[in-house]
Amino acid sequence: PSAAGLVGQRVVGDINACCRSCGVCERGGDLARNHCPRRTVLGILGRNGTYAQFLCLPVHNLHVVPDSIPDEIAVLVEPLAAACRIVEQRIVDPSVEPPQRVCVLGDGKLGLLIAAVLGRQGLQHRPVIFGRHQEKMDKVSDVVDTALSETSSTPEHEHKYDVCVDATGSPQGLSQAQALLRPMGTLVLKSTCAAGAGFNAAPFVIDELKVVGSRCGPFPAALELLRSAQPPLELRSFVTGSFPLSRAEEALALAAAKGSLKVQLMC
């Protein structure tokens, strides 16, 4: 839609604003969307975020939100799109033989969203999410199996999985993933923490593991998933609380509390 056509409509916006003139942008697609060397990033790099009085994004970054999706769910489109990125990268494929076994490490908001997306890809084996909080993992147990993190090193899971997605946000996720993956398996990194000087690369080389970075994803796919996923993707339980701006201090305190997933300031 044109800028004029978007006036008065609810939209969500890709956070990466590419320059549309460099050699990377000339290639188009997800390469330009995620990897323009001159990009600005909403609230992160050279562009005001949503705590500013005003913010702006290019028109081509904006996507109209269907009427069926309420505001409190629409604001989850960006992390949901990051989960959809794994599908866009064709890392998980229900047609592969023998059928893939897939697991997710981490039961934070992103890990849960990744599990919810991968559990709807028609895989023959249900994905497994490993986490520390059973009550969080229960939010996605309709489409994935759940397991507590301490069980990941047991013989039941050791070197069992073809694909492991690390969304722990911890350097320890790397060694945990390596123990879960079969030789020549694929580790998908959603964590951006530094591994540190003590990182041991030997098991990754010996087992010939493929390590794939994965970051921002397609907003249209995330919106379509919210609109028509089967079974329906219910994200209201991911929202721990919603507050008006006048209660910002209360919202920040809840966001810092153990167990919180998503706390929203609604303006």
Side-chain angles (χ1 to χ4, degrees):
S2 65
L6 290 173
V7 174
Q9 297 205 57
R10 294 185 308 140
V11 296
V12 288
D14 279 299
I15 65 172
N16 297 287
C18 55
C19 72
R20 308 189 90 184
S21 62
C22 68
V24 171
C25 287
E26 287 177 357
R27 297 283 298 276
D30 55 349
L31 181 68
R33 183 194 68 218
N34 284 0
H35 298 291
C36 168
R38 302 173 186 168
R39 67 184 178 275
T40 57
V41 187
L42 190 72
I44 299 173
L45 179 64
R47 189 174 288 269
N48 283 341
T50 56
Y51 280 175
Q53 184 175 5
F54 299 102
L55 61 90
C56 66
L57 282 170
V59 170
H60 59 263
N61 279 50
L62 304 180
H63 306 271
V64 175
V65 177
D67 292 339
S68 60
I69 302 175
D71 290 349
E72 61 267 26
I73 302 303
V75 297
L76 292 170
V77 166
E78 191 277 331
L80 182 61
C84 291
R85 174 62 174 158
I86 299 169
V87 179
E88 184 183 46
Q89 290 173 291
R90 298 183 176 88
I91 297 168
V92 172
D93 185 349
S95 68
V96 167
E97 291 292 341
Q100 289 176 316
R101 292 187 181 273
V102 178
C103 68
V104 179
L105 295 179
D107 58 10
K109 178 182 60 184
L110 181 57
L112 294 173
L113 289 172
I114 291 169
V117 169
L118 298 184
R120 288 170 168 79
Q121 298 310 306
L123 295 169
Q124 183 170 323
H125 301 295
R126 277 166 62 102
V128 178
I129 181 171
F130 292 90
R132 297 179 178 178
H133 310 92
Q134 187 62 52
E135 69 279 7
K136 289 185 178 181
M137 295 189 291
D138 285 343
K139 298 179 187 297
V140 294
S141 60
D142 57 333
V143 292
V144 299
D145 293 332
T146 66
L148 293 174
S149 294
E150 55 263 30
T151 68
S152 64
S153 59
T154 62
E156 178 187 359
H157 296 291
E158 188 177 21
H159 301 304
K160 177 179 180 178
Y161 298 93
D162 301 283
V163 177
C164 178
V165 183
D166 175 20
T168 61
S170 166
Q172 284 70 46
L174 290 173
S175 56
Q176 189 179 4
Q178 182 273 324
L180 288 164
L181 283 166
R182 62 158 176 79
M184 300 178 68
T186 300
L187 167 59
V188 182
L189 286 180
K190 280 293 188 183
S191 297
T192 54
C193 56
F199 170 64
N200 180 14
F204 292 83
V205 176
I206 294 168
D207 286 348
E208 297 186 318
L209 299 179
K210 181 188 296 183
V211 180
V212 181
S214 182
R215 47 190 300 265
C216 301
F219 275 46
L223 286 165
E224 179 60 25
L225 201 60
L226 286 173
R227 191 186 67 82
S228 62
Q230 291 299 325
L233 186 55
E234 178 50 67
L235 298 185
R236 292 183 188 276
S237 65
F238 285 52
V239 180
T240 307
S242 297
F243 297 84
L245 190 58
S246 60
R247 296 171 62 192
E249 290 187 6
E250 186 179 349
L252 291 172
L254 180 59
K258 186 177 180 180
S260 290
L261 283 174
K262 180 69 173 179
V263 176
Q264 300 175 342
L265 279 175
M266 310 296 283
C267 301

